[in-house]
Amino acid sequence: GDLDKVVNLLLSLSGRLARVEAALGSLGPHAPAEDKLALREKQQLLVAQLEDAKELKEHVGRREEAVGAMVARYLPTEHLQDYQHFVKMKSALIAEQRELEEKIKLGQEQLRCLRESL
């Protein structure tokens, strides 16, 4: 459960940071200084939060290793390999699911924009 939460947090923060950086990049030279300042402050906050989230992921990773060592004492080799595969794939599947959700959201937004332009 903690792994799910931390991976989702990392994905959310990195996505928000990417959007802020894109907004900063799209600001023209004549954009109001307060807009640039607000985006830079948000960027700094997101970078700090992302670093904290990475530390949390490392902590969860250490806990995962400790749990894995404990589970290894009680499971036969075949089941232990299944467990290890499950834990590795869970993060990848969460990231893939999030990516697909973002693509769906983008597609829906593009479809809405196309309908409005007609």
Side-chain angles (χ1 to χ4, degrees), residues 6 13 19 25 30 32-33 36 41 43 46-47 51-52 54 56 72 74-75 86 89 97 106 112:
V6 171
L13 289 171
R19 285 190 295 276
H30 304 295
K36 289 180 184 179
E41 287 174 354
Q43 180 187 32
L46 288 169
V47 167
E51 289 301 316
D52 290 344
K54 287 177 183 178
L56 277 174
Y74 299 102
L75 289 180
F86 169 77
M89 290 305 297
Q97 177 185 5
L106 177 62
R112 185 187 61 77

Side-chain angles (χ1 to χ4, degrees), residues 7-52:
V7 169
N8 280 321
L9 177 63
L10 283 166
L11 292 171
S12 175
L13 289 171
S14 61
R16 290 173 57 199
L17 181 60
R19 285 190 295 276
V20 167
E21 288 174 345
L24 267 172
S26 68
L27 286 179
H30 304 295
E34 55 270 1
D35 290 351
K36 289 180 184 179
L37 180 62
L39 285 173
R40 283 194 183 108
E41 287 174 354
K42 193 170 191 172
Q43 180 187 32
Q44 290 173 349
L45 178 63
L46 288 169
V47 167
Q49 290 175 338
L50 191 57
E51 289 301 316
D52 290 344

Side-chain angles (χ1 to χ4, degrees), residues 87-100:
V87 171
K88 286 179 185 175
M89 290 305 297
K90 188 163 179 129
S91 292
L93 290 173
I94 291 169
E96 187 176 338
Q97 177 185 5
R98 184 69 171 245
E99 183 180 333
L100 290 172

